[in-house]
Amino acid sequence: MKTDIILCGVGGQGILSIATIIGEAAMNENLYIKQAEVHGMSQRGGDVQSNLRISSNPIASDLIPKGGADVIISMEPMEALRYLPFLSSEGWIITSSTPFINIPNYPDIEKLKSDLSQLKNVIMLDIEQAAKDNGVPRSANVILLGAAQKALGIEYEKLEDAIRRVFGRKGEAIVDANIKALAIGRQAQR
């Protein structure tokens, strides 16, 4: 088993929480994991990107080469396209359809969506609206993780268990909200 994942978005969107949940699930399965430095964390609204590599065999490098990513999970559509050169020919993009417009020359959103929809393996969701509609407004990132579950090759129950461990100290209500968000994303991937 080997899965190379690029996580990307904008600071404050929950990229690190997704990485923590995936990492926890992988480590609980006794898989090897390496994560590259995350960029942009120092500024809310700045570019955030992380390389996350999971394997049943030892991993030599924490960086994913161009054309080597199996999955791009993006909290923002422009960021998904930014890392497209790293996606393998059979790779998946799981992205939010909602832009985070933090620059004056942000590209036309309809053009971005059109570019994404022309790619081979894309799941694009309005996770912000789904989170609001389902009463989990702070868990949009976990909805995206639920939609990415099959592409990651990690059993759904393992991600649920990881959520319980990662968020357990924050209380049952937070755990329940994130389990619900994971299920919403899972339904969207079908």
Side-chain angles (χ1 to χ4, degrees):
M1 185 256 182
K2 175 199 79 69
T3 306
D4 288 340
I5 307 156
I6 291 179
L7 301 159
C8 55
V10 175
Q13 290 187 306
I15 292 296
L16 294 180
S17 293
I18 294 173
T20 301
I21 294 166
I22 294 170
E24 180 71 24
M27 288 190 310
N28 198 46
E29 288 297 299
N30 294 316
L31 295 171
Y32 293 92
I33 183 168
K34 284 205 178 201
Q35 183 175 0
E37 179 180 344
V38 178
H39 303 279
M41 287 176 32
S42 63
Q43 174 182 338
R44 189 169 199 76
D47 172 39
V48 177
Q49 185 268 338
S50 178
N51 285 242
L52 186 62
R53 305 186 84 186
I54 301 168
S55 178
S56 52
N57 298 312
I59 303 165
S61 172
D62 55 357
L63 296 177
I64 298 170
K66 284 190 176 179
D70 300 299
V71 183
I72 293 174
I73 300 175
S74 181
M75 292 292 296
E76 209 284 330
M78 183 179 71
E79 294 299 323
L81 289 172
R82 179 191 310 252
Y83 294 101
L84 191 56
F86 289 89
L87 190 65
S88 73
S89 60
E90 297 301 313
W92 279 86
I93 294 177
I94 296 88
T95 184
S96 172
S97 62
T98 307
F100 186 98
I101 301 173
N102 58 348
I103 56 175
N105 59 343
Y106 192 92
D108 177 67
I109 187 60
E110 294 310 316
K111 171 87 168 94
L112 289 176
K113 288 179 181 179
S114 174
D115 289 349
L116 283 164
S117 68
Q118 292 177 32
L119 299 172
K120 185 175 182 178
N121 299 316
V122 175
I123 297 173
M124 190 172 9
L125 305 169
D126 187 344
I127 58 171
E128 298 295 331
Q129 192 62 52
K132 288 176 190 169
D133 291 348
N134 288 281
V136 291
R138 297 188 56 143
S139 300
N141 60 331
V142 181
I143 292 174
L144 200 61
L145 175 59
Q149 178 262 321
K150 283 186 182 176
L152 294 173
I154 298 174
E155 293 177 29
Y156 181 80
E157 293 74 20
K158 302 301 181 188
L159 291 173
E160 280 185 329
D161 292 343
I163 286 171
R164 287 185 187 94
R165 286 190 301 277
V166 169
F167 294 111
R169 64 181 173 77
K170 293 186 176 190
E172 192 173 322
I174 301 295
V175 170
D176 290 346
N178 283 286
I179 295 287
K180 181 178 179 180
L182 190 71
I184 293 164
R186 180 186 200 190
Q187 287 297 325
Q189 76 178 341
R190 293 178 182 195

